[in-house]
């Protein structure tokens, strides 16, 4: 009886495996949380040093148009105006999203409703191929093809917002397309059947039923694409011109937050104003990533409430 009771009271192999699995899972979760908190603390502490240690005015930093942290202006203040980079970053992001969204939704509709078998068979590998191409390849193609074409058509150097928009358009297209396909496939099949049964044509069903039902998820796809474009560095750096100037048109050289970071972060000394100013740019990127995530969560919750 004692042996039987001991065997019944001792943990089984399945219980030990379950405990081990929980320990590993909780350890990984704790490591991820610590890593995220560490990244947030590191970037925030470095980013605010520009304003706390170097005493740069926040409004001057956000609204100034001159960027040369190593020199002082006529008023004795460091030239750390980030407005040109902020404007350029938002410009290329919004333009790329506006350009890519119609193409992405059209491709997604072709793969899900117009030609669901052949469309998915031929286009899915293309989308996966575009996703797998490294950023430097996109940047090199933009530098050797897009920039000379723009230079030939519009004159100037060819670098600028237009070149960055075209490169980012190709880069965010597979992201928005993949999420748009998932959004359209998530629409219940009886929506299509009911619309067709009422006498609507296929394109009326697509326009008045499918797109409206999938709109929250489609908006989420677009925001994901914008987040992808906003944080892109290498490809944009190769075609944007890397001149910290306020863009007056789409074909003048300028710079984004990411291009300025990748170009100069290795040429500054830790703790100096030029280095702290770059970390402030990184803090802006971090805050914008959080804003994009909050927008995605808000749209997702609104979609759940409506459904």
């Amino acid at each position: 009886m004692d042996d039987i009771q001991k065997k019944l009271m001792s943990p089984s192999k399945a219980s030990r495996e379950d405990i081990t699995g929980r320990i590993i899972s909780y350890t990984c979760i704790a490591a991820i949380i610590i890593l995220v908190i560490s990244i947030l603390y590191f970037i925030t502490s470095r980013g605010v040093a520009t304003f706390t240690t170097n005493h740069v005015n926040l409004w001057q930093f956000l609204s100034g148009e001159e960027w040369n942290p190593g020199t002082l202006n006529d008023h004795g203040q460091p030239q750390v105006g980030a407005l040109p980079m902020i404007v350029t970053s938002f410009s290329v992001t919004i333009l790329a999203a506006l350009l890519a969204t119609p193409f992405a939704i059209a491709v997604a509709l072709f793969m899900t409703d117009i030609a669901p078998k052949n469309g998915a068979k031929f286009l899915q590998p293309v989308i996966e191929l575009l996703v797998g191409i490294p950023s430097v390849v996109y940047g090199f193609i933009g530098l050797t093809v897009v920039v000379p074409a723009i230079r030939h058509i519009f004159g100037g150097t060819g670098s600028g917002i237009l070149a960055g928009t075209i490169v980012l358009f190709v880069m965010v297209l597979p992201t928005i397309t993949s999420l748009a396909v998932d959004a359209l496939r998530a629409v219940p099949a009886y929506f299509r059947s009911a619309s067709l049964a009422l006498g609507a044509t296929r394109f009326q069903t697509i326009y008045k039923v499918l797109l409206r039902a999938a709109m929250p998820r489609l908006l989420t796809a677009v925001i994901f694409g914008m987040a992808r474009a906003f944080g892109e560095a290498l490809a944009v750096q190769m075609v944007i011109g890397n001149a910290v100037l306020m863009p007056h048109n789409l074909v003048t050289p300028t710079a984004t937050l990411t291009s300025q970071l990748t170009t100069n972060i290795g040429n500054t000394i830790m703790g100096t104003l030029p280095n702290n100013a770059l970390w402030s740019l990184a803090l802006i990127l971090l805050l914008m990533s959080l804003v994009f995530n909050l927008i995605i969560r808000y749209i997702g919750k609104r979609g759940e409430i409506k459904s």
Side-chain angles (χ1 to χ4, degrees), residues 201-246:
T201 64
R202 181 168 62 179
F203 289 99
Q204 287 176 332
T205 300
I206 291 174
Y207 176 71
K208 295 184 177 293
V209 177
L210 298 182
L211 291 181
R212 294 188 181 183
M215 187 56 65
R217 292 185 175 91
L218 292 176
L219 290 176
T220 300
V222 175
I223 300 300
F224 263 115
M226 293 179 65
R228 168 81 169 86
F230 197 85
E232 178 55 42
L234 184 57
V236 176
Q237 176 190 346
M238 297 175 70
V239 300
I240 201 70
N242 299 311
V244 187
L245 302 171
M246 181 63 71

Side-chain angles (χ1 to χ4, degrees), residues 111 118-132:
M111 294 174 62
N118 295 329
K121 179 180 179 181
F122 291 104
L123 290 178
Q124 189 65 37
V126 176
I127 295 174
E128 294 174 356
L129 177 64
L130 291 175
V131 172

Side-chain angles (χ1 to χ4, degrees), residues 14-278:
S15 299
R16 291 193 298 270
E17 291 177 350
D18 181 68
I19 294 173
T20 304
R22 288 185 180 184
I23 293 174
I24 294 174
S25 299
Y26 290 144
T27 302
C28 294
I29 293 173
I32 293 173
I33 294 174
I34 293 173
L35 178 62
V36 172
I37 293 175
S38 301
I39 292 174
L40 292 175
Y41 173 77
F42 182 80
I43 296 178
T44 303
S45 61
R46 295 290 182 182
V48 300
T50 304
F51 315 108
T52 58
T53 304
N54 304 114
H55 306 291
V56 174
N57 183 270
L58 177 60
W59 176 249
Q60 175 190 350
F61 180 81
L62 296 176
S63 62
E65 298 185 13
E66 296 181 354
W67 180 268
N68 192 2
T71 59
L72 303 177
N73 57 21
D74 297 335
H75 303 285
Q77 298 294 326
Q79 299 178 356
V80 286
L83 184 61
M85 292 171 285
I86 296 174
V87 171
T88 304
S89 296
F90 277 102
S91 298
V92 294
T93 298
I94 294 173
L95 291 175
L98 291 175
L99 187 61
T101 299
F103 288 92
I105 294 178
V107 173
L109 287 171
F110 185 81
M111 294 174 62
T112 57
D113 288 272
I114 298 176
K117 293 183 179 180
N118 295 329
K121 179 180 179 181
F122 291 104
L123 290 178
Q124 189 65 37
V126 176
I127 295 174
E128 294 174 356
L129 177 64
L130 291 175
V131 172
I133 296 177
S135 299
V136 66
V137 176
Y138 284 111
F140 183 74
I141 294 175
L143 186 63
T144 56
V145 177
V146 177
V147 171
I150 295 176
R151 185 189 306 125
H152 177 73
I153 297 173
F154 298 101
T157 62
S159 301
I161 293 177
L162 181 59
T165 298
I166 295 174
V167 172
L168 285 179
F169 154 70
V170 180
M171 296 185 68
V172 303
L173 181 62
T175 300
I176 301 178
T177 301
S178 299
L179 295 174
V181 168
D182 295 336
L184 293 172
R185 286 176 177 170
V187 177
Y190 59 80
F191 278 30
R192 298 173 173 85
S193 303
S195 177
L196 296 173
L198 291 173
T201 64
R202 181 168 62 179
F203 289 99
Q204 287 176 332
T205 300
I206 291 174
Y207 176 71
K208 295 184 177 293
V209 177
L210 298 182
L211 291 181
R212 294 188 181 183
M215 187 56 65
R217 292 185 175 91
L218 292 176
L219 290 176
T220 300
V222 175
I223 300 300
F224 263 115
M226 293 179 65
R228 168 81 169 86
F230 197 85
E232 178 55 42
L234 184 57
V236 176
Q237 176 190 346
M238 297 175 70
V239 300
I240 201 70
N242 299 311
V244 187
L245 302 171
M246 181 63 71
H248 299 289
N249 53 57
L250 299 180
V251 293
T252 56
T254 182
T256 62
L257 295 169
T258 53
S259 67
Q260 189 68 13
L261 273 169
T262 55
T263 302
N264 295 318
I265 194 64
N267 300 322
T268 58
I269 300 174
M270 188 70 72
T272 60
L273 174 59
N275 184 265
N276 291 337
L278 292 176

